[in-house]
Amino acid sequence: MLQKPIALALLAAFSCAAPAAEDAELAAIRSQLAELKKNYEQRIAALEDKLAQSRAQAEKPAAVAAATEAPRLGTPAGGFNPEISLTLQGQYKSMKNIDERGIAGFWPAGGHDHESEGIKGISKRGFSVDHTELMLAANVDPYWRGQAILAALDGEVEVEEAWFQSLGLDHGIGLKGGRFLSGIGYQNEQHPHAWDFASAPLMYQALFGEHGSYAQDGVQFKWLAPTPIWLEFGAEAGRGANFPGTDRNQNRAGAGALFVHLGDDVGSSHSWRAGLSYLHTRAREREAEVHDANDVHGDASFTGRSRTWLADFVWKWAPDGNPKYRNFKFQTEYFHRTERGDIGCVGEEAGAACDGTRDSYRSRQSGWYAQAVYQFTPHWRAGLRHEQLDSGSLRIGANVLAQLGDENQMFARYRPKRSALMLDYSWSEFSRVRLQYERDRSMPGVTDNQFTVQYIMSLGAHGAHKF
């Protein structure tokens, strides 16, 4: 009978202990929840304070800008902060010493030059400094941008480019005015420091002279069509003072150009661009040195029209579109030029055959080049270029032809050729040194093996080069 009361007592004790334990556990959970809630409330309050501070700081500059906007617009010169860059170029060149060096079968783009060292710009041997280019560019306002490039060499400074360009025109329309490199062809818009070889292609030297490009003083209009592929149309009107034209000091335009460019991507690693261009200009008394039929120095002059067609094609490859480590570029251009007008020649000494008589002149010429450049490491590139011109057909009236004789290489029937190998190293996008070998056969009976070591150093801000 004693065991029964003991069992009842133990049962009562356990029944009281169980609720007590449950109450303690629940109290602990409630305490933890309260602590978590307190911590979260503190963190939320801190974030709200931080957000309020950020809003206050953002509103303060906006208010200051609004207060000072009127004075700034009233004094734009005070905000002038242009992009400035300086390009240093120079070279050492080993080649034959050839009197009156030129491109046989083509009118010398250097013009009137009696120096025995040959045409200026393509006859320099040994060490020399190329143009030092100073570039300044900036946005004029939200609607216009301006750029000027000054080239200094041997105490002379020339304005290579000085133009303004629209930024805010709609419907894919672009407008440029001033002095600019024409949009014809592919390489024409590139400055020498952006070339893949140390020299311009023979084609560009024959067409436009020692600078290897055609510049316009005038206006340029472009329209980017709203098409799935990149499609651009352009037109230019200019003074036409540069070769193959001459400065004629007139009110109307002396040269006009039309061009169309199109391109697209092929997958993620390939891209291409093709173009067709037309340049029309006029020349008045465009001069060149000649030896007449009596071997007396004289000056020939051409007056008439010059029309040039250019076709270009470029293909680029880079793994997954990233050209930093490896890339390949193929580039080719073709030209066809016709000139029609009249020609005459005047002798400079007694006994000259040239007497100023003028007669008809017609010429039809063509040429091309193709080059490939492969970057096989982030710093090293190698390139190969081959080019050939065709002096084509030439018709000169019998009266002047008899006076000119047949000893002038500019009237010779010839196909100039040149091949080049290039290797360059770039420490960065701003510094490059290049070694180039050229086998030049641009003159009859002459094979000139030329070696060039070139450096290109760019200082300061410099925009990306064109495609």
Side-chain angles (χ1 to χ4, degrees), residues 397-456:
N399 294 330
V400 174
L401 183 61
Q403 296 178 8
L404 290 171
D406 56 3
E407 298 298 324
N408 295 289
Q409 70 166 359
M410 62 182 284
F411 302 127
R413 183 74 175 88
Y414 188 62
R415 292 186 176 182
K417 301 180 182 66
R418 190 171 67 180
S419 299
L421 289 172
M422 178 277 294
L423 180 69
D424 63 30
Y425 180 84
S426 301
W427 288 268
S428 69
E429 60 181 311
F430 303 102
S431 58
R432 172 173 291 169
V433 63
R434 174 180 289 137
L435 174 64
Q436 181 170 304
Y437 164 74
E438 289 179 288
R439 185 177 177 84
D440 188 339
R441 292 172 290 171
S442 57
M443 300 177 67
V446 178
T447 299
D448 191 5
N449 295 310
Q450 305 174 359
F451 293 90
T452 303
V453 180
Q454 181 191 38
Y455 67 84
I456 303 173

Side-chain angles (χ1 to χ4, degrees), residues 83-102:
E83 305 160 16
I84 302 176
S85 70
L86 185 68
T87 301
L88 309 176
Q89 300 177 88
Q91 65 180 19
Y92 170 83
K93 190 162 188 175
S94 173
M95 62 182 182
K96 290 182 178 180
N97 186 20
I98 300 174
D99 288 344
E100 300 180 1
R101 181 186 290 271

Side-chain angles (χ1 to χ4, degrees), residues 176 181-183 186-191 220 222 466:
K176 180 186 286 188
L181 295 180
S182 174
Y186 173 72
Q187 184 164 302
N188 191 75
E189 287 187 292
Q190 300 177 7
H191 283 267
Q220 180 190 77
K222 287 184 177 181
K466 295 181 178 292

